[in-house]
Every structure is written in C-alpha cells, then in structure tokens.
Coordinates of all heavy atoms in Angstrom, one line a residue:
N27 N 63.6 -37.2 70.3 CA 64.3 -37.4 71.5 C 65.7 -37.9 71.3 O 66.1 -38.1 70.1 CB 63.5 -38.2 72.5 CG 63.2 -39.6 72.0 OD1 64.1 -40.4 71.9 ND2 61.9 -39.8 71.6
V28 N 66.4 -38.0 72.4 CA 67.8 -38.5 72.2 C 67.9 -39.8 71.5 O 68.7 -40.0 70.6 CB 68.5 -38.6 73.6 CG1 69.9 -39.3 73.5 CG2 68.7 -37.1 74.2
Y29 N 67.0 -40.7 71.9 CA 67.0 -42.1 71.3 C 67.0 -42.2 69.9 O 67.7 -42.8 69.1 CB 66.0 -43.1 72.0 CG 66.0 -43.1 73.4 CD1 64.9 -42.6 74.2 CD2 67.1 -43.7 74.1 CE1 65.0 -42.8 75.6 CE2 67.1 -43.8 75.5 CZ 66.1 -43.4 76.3 OH 66.0 -43.5 77.6
N30 N 65.9 -41.6 69.3 CA 65.6 -41.7 67.9 C 66.1 -40.5 67.0 O 65.8 -40.5 65.8 CB 64.1 -41.8 67.7 CG 63.4 -40.5 68.1 OD1 64.0 -39.5 68.5 ND2 62.0 -40.5 67.9
S31 N 66.9 -39.6 67.6 CA 67.3 -38.4 66.8 C 68.1 -38.7 65.5 O 67.9 -38.0 64.5 CB 68.1 -37.5 67.7 OG 69.3 -38.2 68.3
F32 N 68.8 -39.7 65.5 CA 69.6 -40.0 64.2 C 68.8 -40.9 63.3 O 69.3 -41.1 62.1 CB 70.9 -40.7 64.6 CG 71.9 -39.7 65.1 CD1 72.0 -39.5 66.5 CD2 72.9 -39.2 64.3 CE1 73.0 -38.6 67.0 CE2 73.9 -38.3 64.7 CZ 74.0 -37.9 66.1
H33 N 67.7 -41.4 63.7 CA 66.9 -42.3 62.9 C 65.6 -41.9 62.3 O 65.0 -42.5 61.4 CB 66.8 -43.6 63.7 CG 68.0 -44.3 64.1 ND1 68.7 -45.1 63.3 CD2 68.6 -44.2 65.3 CE1 69.8 -45.5 64.0 NE2 69.8 -45.0 65.2
V34 N 65.1 -40.8 62.9 CA 63.8 -40.2 62.4 C 63.8 -39.9 60.9 O 62.8 -40.2 60.3 CB 63.4 -39.0 63.2 CG1 62.2 -38.2 62.5 CG2 62.9 -39.4 64.7
P35 N 64.8 -39.3 60.4 CA 64.9 -39.1 58.9 C 64.6 -40.4 58.1 O 63.9 -40.4 57.1 CB 66.2 -38.6 58.7 CG 66.6 -37.9 59.9 CD 66.1 -38.8 61.0
D36 N 65.3 -41.5 58.4 CA 65.0 -42.8 57.6 C 63.7 -43.2 57.8 O 63.1 -43.7 56.8 CB 66.1 -43.8 58.1 CG 67.5 -43.5 57.9 OD1 67.8 -42.8 56.9 OD2 68.3 -43.8 58.6
F37 N 63.1 -43.2 59.0 CA 61.8 -43.6 59.2 C 60.8 -42.9 58.3 O 59.9 -43.4 57.7 CB 61.5 -43.5 60.8 CG 60.0 -43.7 61.2 CD1 59.2 -44.6 60.5 CD2 59.6 -43.0 62.2 CE1 57.9 -44.7 61.0 CE2 58.3 -43.2 62.6 CZ 57.4 -44.1 62.0
H38 N 60.8 -41.5 58.5 CA 59.9 -40.7 57.7 C 60.0 -40.8 56.2 O 59.0 -40.9 55.4 CB 60.0 -39.2 58.1 CG 59.4 -39.0 59.6 ND1 58.5 -38.0 59.9 CD2 59.5 -39.8 60.7 CE1 58.2 -38.0 61.1 NE2 58.7 -39.1 61.6
H39 N 61.3 -40.9 55.8 CA 61.7 -41.1 54.4 C 61.0 -42.3 53.9 O 60.4 -42.3 52.8 CB 63.3 -41.3 54.4 CG 63.9 -40.8 53.1 ND1 64.9 -39.9 53.0 CD2 63.6 -41.2 51.8 CE1 65.3 -39.8 51.8 NE2 64.5 -40.5 51.0
E40 N 61.1 -43.4 54.5 CA 60.5 -44.6 54.1 C 59.0 -44.5 53.9 O 58.5 -45.0 52.9 CB 60.9 -45.9 54.9 CG 60.4 -47.2 54.5 CD 60.9 -48.4 55.3 OE1 62.1 -48.4 55.5 OE2 60.1 -49.2 55.6
W41 N 58.3 -44.0 54.9 CA 56.9 -43.9 54.8 C 56.4 -43.0 53.7 O 55.4 -43.3 53.1 CB 56.3 -43.5 56.2 CG 56.0 -44.6 57.1 CD1 56.9 -45.6 57.4 CD2 54.9 -44.9 57.8 NE1 56.3 -46.5 58.2 CE2 55.1 -46.1 58.5 CE3 53.7 -44.3 58.0 CZ2 54.1 -46.7 59.4 CZ3 52.7 -44.8 58.8 CH2 53.0 -46.0 59.6
I42 N 57.2 -42.0 53.4 CA 56.8 -41.1 52.3 C 57.0 -41.9 50.9 O 56.1 -41.8 50.0 CB 57.8 -39.9 52.3 CG1 57.3 -38.9 53.4 CG2 57.6 -39.0 50.9 CD1 58.3 -37.8 53.6
Q43 N 58.2 -42.6 50.8 CA 58.3 -43.3 49.6 C 57.4 -44.4 49.3 O 57.1 -44.8 48.3 CB 59.8 -43.8 49.6 CG 60.9 -42.7 49.5 CD 62.3 -43.2 49.4 OE1 62.7 -44.1 50.0 NE2 63.0 -42.6 48.4
K44 N 56.9 -45.0 50.5 CA 55.8 -46.0 50.4 C 54.5 -45.5 50.0 O 53.6 -46.2 49.7 CB 55.7 -46.8 51.7 CG 56.8 -47.8 52.0 CD 56.5 -48.6 53.2 CE 57.4 -49.7 53.5 NZ 57.1 -50.4 54.8
G45 N 54.3 -44.1 50.1 CA 53.0 -43.5 49.8 C 52.1 -43.6 51.0 O 50.8 -43.4 51.0
W46 N 52.7 -43.9 52.3 CA 51.9 -44.0 53.4 C 51.6 -42.8 54.1 O 50.6 -42.7 54.9 CB 52.5 -45.0 54.4 CG 52.4 -46.5 53.9 CD1 52.0 -46.9 52.7 CD2 52.9 -47.6 54.7 NE1 52.1 -48.2 52.7 CE2 52.6 -48.8 53.9 CE3 53.4 -47.9 56.0 CZ2 52.9 -50.0 54.3 CZ3 53.6 -49.1 56.4 CH2 53.4 -50.2 55.6
I47 N 52.3 -41.7 53.8 CA 52.1 -40.3 54.3 C 52.5 -39.3 53.2 O 53.3 -39.7 52.2 CB 52.9 -40.0 55.6 CG1 54.4 -40.2 55.4 CG2 52.4 -40.7 56.8 CD1 55.2 -39.5 56.5
D48 N 52.0 -38.2 53.2 CA 52.3 -37.2 52.3 C 53.7 -36.5 52.6 O 54.1 -36.4 53.7 CB 51.2 -36.0 52.2 CG 49.9 -36.4 51.7 OD1 49.9 -37.5 50.9 OD2 48.9 -35.7 51.9
A49 N 54.4 -36.1 51.5 CA 55.7 -35.5 51.8 C 55.5 -34.2 52.4 O 56.3 -33.7 53.3 CB 56.4 -35.4 50.4
V50 N 54.5 -33.4 52.0 CA 54.2 -32.1 52.6 C 53.1 -32.3 53.6 O 51.9 -32.7 53.3 CB 53.8 -31.0 51.5 CG1 53.4 -29.7 52.2 CG2 54.9 -30.8 50.5
G51 N 53.3 -32.0 54.8 CA 52.3 -32.1 55.9 C 52.0 -33.5 56.5 O 51.3 -33.6 57.4
G52 N 52.8 -34.5 55.9 CA 52.5 -35.9 56.4 C 53.3 -36.3 57.7 O 53.2 -37.4 58.0
S53 N 54.2 -35.4 58.1 CA 54.9 -35.8 59.3 C 55.1 -34.5 60.3 O 55.4 -33.4 59.8 CB 56.3 -36.4 59.0 OG 57.0 -35.4 58.3
L54 N 54.8 -34.8 61.5 CA 55.0 -33.8 62.5 C 56.0 -34.2 63.5 O 55.8 -35.2 64.2 CB 53.6 -33.5 63.2 CG 53.6 -32.5 64.4 CD1 53.8 -31.2 63.8 CD2 52.2 -32.6 65.1
I55 N 57.1 -33.6 63.5 CA 58.2 -34.0 64.4 C 58.2 -33.0 65.5 O 58.6 -31.8 65.4 CB 59.5 -33.9 63.7 CG1 59.5 -34.8 62.3 CG2 60.7 -34.4 64.6 CD1 60.7 -34.8 61.5
N56 N 57.8 -33.4 66.7 CA 57.6 -32.6 67.9 C 58.9 -32.8 68.8 O 59.2 -34.0 69.3 CB 56.5 -32.9 68.7 CG 55.2 -32.6 68.0 OD1 55.0 -31.5 67.5 ND2 54.3 -33.6 67.9
P57 N 59.7 -31.7 68.9 CA 60.9 -31.9 69.8 C 60.4 -32.0 71.3 O 59.6 -31.3 71.7 CB 61.7 -30.6 69.6 CG 60.7 -29.7 69.1 CD 59.7 -30.4 68.3
L58 N 61.0 -33.1 71.9 CA 60.6 -33.3 73.4 C 61.1 -32.2 74.3 O 62.2 -31.8 74.2 CB 61.2 -34.7 73.8 CG 60.9 -35.2 75.3 CD1 59.4 -35.6 75.3 CD2 61.8 -36.2 75.7
F59 N 60.3 -31.7 75.2 CA 60.7 -30.8 76.1 C 60.9 -31.4 77.6 O 61.8 -31.1 78.2 CB 59.5 -29.7 76.3 CG 59.5 -28.7 75.2 CD1 58.8 -28.8 74.1 CD2 60.2 -27.5 75.4 CE1 58.8 -28.0 73.1 CE2 60.3 -26.5 74.4 CZ 59.6 -26.8 73.1
V60 N 60.0 -32.3 77.9 CA 60.1 -33.0 79.3 C 59.8 -34.5 79.1 O 59.0 -34.8 78.2 CB 59.1 -32.4 80.3 CG1 59.6 -31.1 80.7 CG2 57.7 -32.4 79.8
P61 N 60.5 -35.4 79.8 CA 61.6 -35.1 80.7 C 62.8 -34.5 80.0 O 63.3 -35.0 78.9 CB 61.9 -36.4 81.4 CG 61.5 -37.4 80.4 CD 60.3 -36.8 79.7
E62 N 63.4 -33.5 80.6 CA 64.4 -32.7 80.0 C 65.7 -33.4 79.6 O 66.4 -33.2 78.6 CB 64.8 -31.5 80.8 CG 65.6 -30.4 80.1 CD 65.8 -29.2 81.0 OE1 65.4 -29.2 82.2 OE2 66.6 -28.2 80.5
E63 N 65.9 -34.5 80.4 CA 67.1 -35.3 80.2 C 67.0 -36.2 78.9 O 68.0 -36.9 78.4 CB 67.5 -36.2 81.4 CG 66.4 -37.2 81.7 CD 65.3 -36.8 82.6 OE1 65.2 -35.6 82.8 OE2 64.8 -37.6 83.3
L64 N 65.8 -36.2 78.3 CA 65.7 -37.0 77.0 C 65.6 -36.1 75.8 O 65.5 -36.6 74.7 CB 64.4 -37.9 77.0 CG 64.4 -38.8 78.1 CD1 63.1 -39.7 78.0 CD2 65.5 -39.8 78.2
S65 N 65.8 -34.8 76.0 CA 65.7 -33.8 74.9 C 67.1 -33.9 74.1 O 68.2 -34.0 74.7 CB 65.5 -32.4 75.4 OG 65.8 -31.4 74.5
I66 N 66.9 -33.6 72.8 CA 68.1 -33.5 72.0 C 69.1 -32.3 72.4 O 70.2 -32.3 72.0 CB 67.9 -33.4 70.5 CG1 67.0 -32.2 70.1 CG2 67.1 -34.7 70.0 CD1 66.9 -31.9 68.7
Q67 N 68.5 -31.4 73.2 CA 69.4 -30.4 73.6 C 70.5 -30.9 74.6 O 71.4 -30.0 74.9 CB 68.5 -29.3 74.3 CG 67.6 -28.6 73.2 CD 66.8 -27.5 73.8 OE1 66.3 -27.7 75.0 NE2 66.4 -26.6 73.0
I68 N 70.4 -32.1 75.2 CA 71.4 -32.6 76.0 C 72.7 -33.0 75.3 O 73.7 -33.3 75.9 CB 70.9 -33.7 76.9 CG1 70.9 -35.0 76.3 CG2 69.6 -33.3 77.7 CD1 70.9 -36.2 77.1
L69 N 72.5 -33.3 74.0 CA 73.7 -33.8 73.2 C 74.9 -32.9 73.3 O 74.7 -31.7 73.2 CB 73.3 -34.0 71.7 CG 72.2 -35.0 71.5 CD1 71.8 -35.0 70.0 CD2 72.6 -36.4 71.8
P70 N 76.1 -33.5 73.5 CA 77.2 -32.7 73.4 C 77.5 -32.1 72.1 O 77.0 -32.6 71.0 CB 78.4 -33.8 73.8 CG 77.8 -35.0 73.4 CD 76.4 -34.9 73.6
M71 N 78.3 -31.1 72.0 CA 78.5 -30.3 70.7 C 78.9 -31.2 69.6 O 78.5 -31.1 68.4 CB 79.6 -29.2 70.9 CG 79.7 -28.3 69.8 SD 78.1 -27.5 69.2 CE 77.7 -26.5 70.7
E72 N 79.9 -32.2 69.7 CA 80.4 -33.0 68.7 C 79.2 -33.8 68.1 O 79.2 -34.1 66.9 CB 81.5 -33.9 69.1 CG 81.2 -34.9 70.2 CD 81.6 -34.3 71.6 OE1 81.5 -33.1 71.7 OE2 81.8 -35.2 72.5
M73 N 78.3 -34.3 69.0 CA 77.1 -35.1 68.5 C 76.1 -34.2 67.8 O 75.5 -34.6 66.8 CB 76.6 -35.9 69.6 CG 77.4 -37.1 70.0 SD 76.5 -38.2 71.2 CE 75.3 -39.0 70.1

C-alpha cells in the first residue's frame, strides 16, 4: 500500500538473508485494491 511501498523491499530482503523465508516463493506481495485511496496507484508520477 501507500504507507509501506518504499520499505517492503528492505523488509523482505532482511527475512531472506536471515533464512526466515525462501528467496523463491517465500514472499507474496499483494497490491491493495480497496480502500482505493491506500493503493499505490494514487501516487503522483514523480513518486
């Protein structure tokens, strides 16, 4: 979602390196659809 959009890579990256999840198949990143105002699709073009 908008809040975590810039931080999800670091989060998943860390858990993979710790061996807490698999690199392949160990993370499911679901883009939020509703509420629509929290979707990353609201970000302005520069962001």
